Amino acid sequence: MPAFVLVLAYLPAASAQDDLNKKLVKSSAEQNVVAAITSLDLTVVHLWAPWCSNCQAELKNGGWLKMVKDNPQVKFYFVSVWNDGGDGKSMLSRFQIADQPNVTILADPGPRRGDNKIKQFAGLPVSWIPTTWVYKGGDLRYALNYGEVRFDVLQQFLEDSKSEWSHKGEPKLPE
């Protein structure tokens, strides 16, 4: 049997194995985010794509740069999704976000369209971008899943997330 026939016979099995690996092994972007959100740090995860007009609007108004600079103790993860593996770093650089010390830029390797694009990331559904999540100590404190973030609201969420959210010592309501 010629060698090229053996190679052709191997290709479908290799493709099937690649598909299985993608389903079983989380992307390194997702692994990095899961590690970050389970830390004690206050962490913002922003799912976005450079081609998305809503995501571009958030960058153009300078809100993300101000947010990152005004909150140096917060870790920001910009994760490009639905972007065929591109991380969007060049666009984030244009808006001076990429080089900030509290920013990590990651990319999901998945496709932009079709049934294989991600529908879940770090255990949460992804149905729209931009999507912004705020975590502290492994707990999801806030999830903004549909559209552009209002930065004054996000700032308030960060401030609220710094609290312990304890009502010890307060009287309970009668049942």
Side-chain angles (χ1 to χ4, degrees), residues 57-132:
E58 289 180 333
L59 293 170
K60 288 177 191 174
N61 73 21
W64 276 116
L65 180 60
K66 181 173 178 7
M67 183 65 51
V68 167
K69 284 186 164 188
D70 287 353
N71 296 282
Q73 74 289 358
V74 176
K75 308 290 188 224
F76 290 86
Y77 286 77
F78 283 77
V79 183
S80 179
V81 298
W82 302 342
N83 196 37
D84 297 327
D87 63 10
K89 185 174 183 175
S90 63
M91 183 172 285
L92 294 175
S93 293
R94 255 185 285 166
F95 292 94
Q96 303 172 355
I97 295 168
D99 296 326
Q100 300 301 317
N102 55 336
V103 169
T104 300
I105 299 169
L106 301 166
D108 177 76
R112 177 174 171 184
R113 293 183 172 92
D115 290 338
N116 290 331
K117 79 175 185 180
I118 64 166
K119 295 171 186 74
Q120 189 176 55
F121 190 86
L124 293 175
V126 178
S127 58
W128 188 266
I129 56 173
T131 288
T132 306

Side-chain angles (χ1 to χ4, degrees), residues 133-145:
W133 301 322
V134 178
Y135 287 87
K136 182 173 182 210
D139 294 327
L140 177 63
R141 296 289 178 105
Y142 294 98
L144 303 163
N145 291 329

Side-chain angles (χ1 to χ4, degrees), residues 13-64:
S15 176
Q17 184 61 50
D18 286 347
D19 290 343
L20 179 62
N21 288 347
K22 287 177 185 173
K23 290 178 183 172
L24 294 176
V25 179
K26 293 181 178 179
S27 72
S28 63
E30 190 168 9
Q31 290 171 341
N32 283 325
V33 167
V34 168
I37 63 179
T38 56
S39 76
L40 296 177
D41 294 326
L42 186 54
T43 305
V44 173
V45 177
H46 183 63
L47 304 179
W48 76 292
W51 53 262
C52 168
S53 60
N54 292 36
C55 299
Q56 290 176 10
E58 289 180 333
L59 293 170
K60 288 177 191 174
N61 73 21
W64 276 116

Side-chain angles (χ1 to χ4, degrees), residues 42 71 73 154-163 165:
L42 186 54
N71 296 282
Q73 74 289 358
L154 181 57
Q155 184 62 50
Q156 186 62 55
F157 288 167
L158 294 179
E159 296 304 319
D160 291 347
S161 294
K162 293 174 187 175
S163 75
W165 291 5

